[in-house]
Amino acid sequence: MELFEAIQRRRTTNGPFLPDPVSIEHQRILVELAAMAPSHFNSQPWRFVLVDDRGIIEEVARISGESMRRLMEEGTFWKRYRPYFRFSEEEMDERGDGIHIDQLPKALKPFRRQIFSNTGQALMNRLGVPKILAEDNRKLVAGSPLLLAVLLDKTEYRPGELSAFYSIFGMGAAVENIWLATAQLGMGMQFVSTPMEFPEKWEEIKGLLKVPEDLELMAVYRLGYLPQGQRRPTIDWSSQHRKRLSQYVFRNTCAAPTEDASDEVFAGKREGMIE
Ligand SMILES: Cc1cc2nc3c(=O)[nH]c(=O)nc-3n(C[C@H](O)[C@H](O)[C@H](O)COP(=O)(O)O)c2cc1C
């Protein structure tokens, strides 16, 4: 696969993976490519934990599901992330960012309009929607053959200092290398992010992974091989929409947005978008 094609095909996988284990060779390719990323002074501040132990995966899945239930039940999710939701295709096309609310899981669809209100929240709770979403989430994580934890070396990751910013920057590049490689290997990848929303849940994950004092746990992903002909998942928080050039690129100074070219090389060419 060509690099440009891999970049276009990289997606967040919100659906299930095949149960097949990720081969040791592929696991090694992922982490070796991660290490090719740039880092400040070649410090390579990233560390990875490859988790293929069923017991640990099941435990992470349980914590992730529980966190999802709380996020939904307490309404934290909707309060915290409201600015990212769009209510129509027109709004999506106009802004080019965020998540269209039509991608909501089926259980939430009837509440599309009230989702951000207190009454909507109370109704969803009465109907047990948070529990359904929690179980969906648990199953997705539990059904993943591989988890990947990403950590930073705390001698480099010193919050409040430039070094922390540099470390996060390098880590992002390393994770993107992995993400692009998954596209070539027929694999998918998704953040397991709900436990990050609750400090005590994140601590539980750190305990499971035996994270030592000198490392900071930054993110956990689930990975696996993709099934053929995937159906749209119950929870689809990803979006293929992208801003137009004039919305994010300037020429020479920030005062002059670039023009949108009618023949943008890659516009609309991401998988599943207009041919
Ligand atoms: C810092 C960061 C946090 C993200 N958090 C989540 C998340 O919590 N759950 C999830 O499913 N996707 C998460 N994503 C993926 C985005 O939702 C996704 O990249 C975006 O919607 C575009 O979709 P795509 O990755 O398929 O192109 C995150 C991505 C980044 C870079």
Side-chain angles (χ1 to χ4, degrees), residues 246-275:
S246 60
Q247 292 176 303
Y248 71 98
V249 186
F250 303 85
R251 174 82 58 196
N252 296 320
T253 71
C254 293
T258 51
E259 307 230 325
D260 286 321
S262 56
D263 57 348
E264 268 176 43
V265 187
F266 297 110
K269 283 206 190 142
R270 299 191 81 220
E271 207 183 14
M273 293 180 83
I274 327 123
E275 293 290 307

Side-chain angles (χ1 to χ4, degrees), residues 85-104:
F85 287 97
R86 313 278 169 257
F87 287 91
S88 65
E89 270 299 335
E90 294 71 46
E91 196 185 351
M92 226 30 248
D93 289 341
E94 173 50 34
R95 297 200 40 147
D97 64 6
I99 307 282
H100 189 190
I101 204 120
D102 88 319
Q103 299 179 19
L104 283 176

Side-chain angles (χ1 to χ4, degrees), residues 5-176:
E5 195 191 339
I7 293 174
Q8 287 168 254
R9 286 185 50 168
R10 182 214 57 78
R11 296 292 334 273
T12 290
T13 304
N14 297 309
F17 296 124
L18 294 174
D20 316 22
V22 176
S23 73
I24 293 294
E25 188 203 345
H26 287 174
Q27 295 186 27
R28 277 202 40 201
I29 289 174
L30 296 176
V31 285
E32 284 187 24
L33 287 174
M36 304 289 165
S39 60
H40 59 296
F41 297 100
N42 195 25
S43 54
Q44 303 169 54
W46 47 71
R47 302 288 181 272
F48 301 102
V49 187
L50 291 158
V51 183
D52 54 12
D53 178 280
R54 286 305 325 154
I56 302 179
I57 293 174
E58 298 277 349
E59 273 300 283
V60 173
R62 178 187 61 74
I63 297 167
S64 181
E66 268 174 30
S67 310
M68 173 64 97
R69 183 187 55 72
R70 272 186 61 186
L71 265 180
M72 293 294 163
E73 222 163 63
E74 295 166 13
T76 326
F77 183 85
W78 305 112
K79 285 192 199 97
R80 203 167 276 171
Y81 300 117
R82 185 184 172 138
Y84 301 106
F85 287 97
R86 313 278 169 257
F87 287 91
S88 65
E89 270 299 335
E90 294 71 46
E91 196 185 351
M92 226 30 248
D93 289 341
E94 173 50 34
R95 297 200 40 147
D97 64 6
I99 307 282
H100 189 190
I101 204 120
D102 88 319
Q103 299 179 19
L104 283 176
K106 210 163 74 203
L108 281 173
K109 284 239 163 93
F111 310 100
R112 189 172 175 275
R113 289 277 160 209
Q114 309 128 293
I115 220 155
F116 295 106
S117 73
N118 289 340
T119 28
Q121 181 69 53
L123 189 60
M124 282 191 289
N125 288 359
R126 262 209 312 283
L127 295 175
V129 174
K131 286 201 186 76
I132 298 172
L133 298 179
E135 182 53 12
D136 276 357
N137 179 275
R138 190 198 63 75
K139 275 203 235 145
L140 276 183
V141 178
S144 307
L146 184 69
L147 301 181
L148 176 76
V150 184
L151 307 95
L152 282 177
D153 177 348
K154 282 191 189 169
T155 54
E156 294 302 331
Y157 177 68
R158 302 189 300 273
E161 293 183 37
L162 204 47
S163 175
F165 166 74
Y166 288 156
S167 299
I168 292 175
F169 208 94
M171 178 187 76
V175 169
E176 180 69 353

Side-chain angles (χ1 to χ4, degrees), residues 10-12 14 99 190-191 193 237-239 242 270:
R10 182 214 57 78
R11 296 292 334 273
T12 290
N14 297 309
I99 307 282
Q190 185 187 22
F191 259 93
S193 59
W237 302 124
S238 86
S239 175
R242 290 299 188 264
R270 299 191 81 220

